[in-house]
Amino acid sequence: MYYENNVQALQDIDFCVTQGEFVSIVGPSGCGKSTLIRIIAGLIDNYVGDVRVAEMTKTDEQPLALVFQEANLLPWRKTLDNVRLPLELAEVCENVQKEKSLAALDIVRLKDFAHAYPRELSGGMKMRVSLARALVTKPQLMLLDEPFSALDEITRQQLNEDLLRLWQQDQWTALFVTHNISEAVFLSSRIIVMSDRPGRIIADVAIPFSYPRT
Ligand code: ADP
Ligand code: ADP
């Protein structure tokens, strides 16, 4: 895949992820991790190749959801109204929007903050709202692009544990971009390693679980 300035971001990328896998993608800054995530998300279309994500039929469920490094909450909307946004866009009826959003806030332990504004929340809490907004659509595939890297080490570890707990509950498929190897080892059942110029996959390894999973 080439950007308009003729930078070749990716070359010969070929991999397949099984439903329910937690896959981390690691590699140096600039190796094309975000580009890969954006291609899978459908945000870039001038690439040569083929991306397939399982389709879902229900209108209030999405095949995939994205979580970025910034929580990207709308500051003028309360927590609950941020979480229900994707359901609103999918024209789900309002009672259901509310019910599902409260349930999503509950699983990230923020039900009590449903009526708070983003400015009232800590960085970690905002990120948990962002996770809830992604999970509310019941995605089959979660694309997470360095989601916690702006947070301090302790908050980050807490959120990694939250993420793993949520994944264990619902078993969506995760593609998690990070340049933190220990984080990748902690979270993943598989790690894809990329190198740069242009971005290629140089290793693809299964990880024995370092964390008790049920
Ligand atoms: P990573 O996420 O691994 O840091 P990126 O996917 O962001 O890598 O970038 C891969 C390569 O593509 C880098 O060389 C970067 O400079 C380049 N790149 C990223 N976005 C653009 C863009 N919009 N236009 C031109 N080049 C870009
Ligand atoms: P996180 O680990 O999500 O970053 P913090 O360590 O910032 O959370 O906050 C710990 C707890 O303190 C939160 O779960 C919340 O109950 C409370 N808290 C944090 N910020 C606020 C706030 N602005 N208003 C009310 N309670 C807060």
Side-chain angles (χ1 to χ4, degrees):
M1 183 275 167
Y2 288 84
Y3 279 108
E4 275 147 29
N5 54 1
N6 247 3
V7 170
Q8 186 177 10
L10 296 172
Q11 184 182 20
D12 299 333
I13 300 290
D14 185 6
F15 68 101
C16 188
V17 173
T18 308
Q19 167 94 39
E21 264 191 306
F22 199 120
V23 181
S24 285
I25 300 174
V26 303
S29 187
C31 72
K33 304 183 292 299
S34 296
T35 303
L36 181 57
I37 290 290
R38 292 204 295 265
I39 287 176
I40 296 168
L43 302 176
I44 295 178
D45 53 16
N46 63 329
Y47 59 90
V48 179
D50 189 18
V51 174
R52 262 171 289 169
V53 180
E55 304 261 342
M56 298 199 67
T57 47
K58 288 191 194 164
T59 53
D60 60 337
E61 295 185 353
Q62 303 285 332
L64 60 86
L66 268 161
V67 181
F68 298 101
Q69 186 174 333
E70 298 81 31
N72 294 324
L73 305 180
L74 300 176
W76 59 88
R77 295 188 81 154
K78 290 176 177 178
T79 299
L80 180 71
D81 297 324
N82 266 287
V83 172
R84 70 183 179 84
L85 190 65
L87 300 178
E88 194 179 301
L89 295 173
E91 296 179 357
V92 173
C93 91
E94 271 198 41
N95 293 340
V96 178
Q97 284 180 27
K98 204 176 154 200
E99 191 185 312
K100 289 192 170 183
S101 303
L102 281 172
L105 278 170
D106 197 25
I107 58 175
V108 297
R109 298 177 283 113
L110 283 176
K111 212 174 175 179
D112 293 345
F113 290 85
H115 299 290
Y117 284 95
R119 63 172 176 274
E120 300 173 65
L121 307 178
S122 70
M125 292 160 87
K126 280 184 220 167
M127 215 50 237
R128 273 148 57 198
V129 175
S130 172
L131 278 178
R133 183 183 52 196
L135 291 170
V136 80
T137 59
K138 299 268 178 235
Q140 283 197 357
L141 173 62
M142 282 275 270
L143 299 171
L144 304 119
D145 192 355
E146 308 219 23
F148 311 141
S149 55
L151 302 173
D152 65 85
E153 211 38 55
I154 290 173
T155 306
R156 180 185 182 127
Q157 184 56 26
Q158 281 168 351
L159 285 183
N160 279 334
E161 284 168 22
D162 282 340
L163 186 64
L164 211 45
R165 183 173 49 81
L166 298 176
W167 175 79
Q168 284 168 334
Q169 275 169 22
D170 286 346
Q171 297 277 316
W172 23 266
T173 309
L175 266 185
F176 184 93
V177 165
T178 178
H179 51 246
N180 185 326
I181 303 276
S182 60
E183 183 172 75
V185 171
F186 174 76
L187 288 168
S188 326
S189 49
R190 174 177 163 200
I191 299 181
I192 291 176
V193 185
M194 291 177 62
S195 73
D196 55 1
R197 286 173 221 205
R200 280 163 296 127
I201 293 175
I202 54 169
D204 187 336
V205 283
I207 302 296
F209 292 141
S210 56
Y211 189 86
R213 292 168 194 236
T214 47

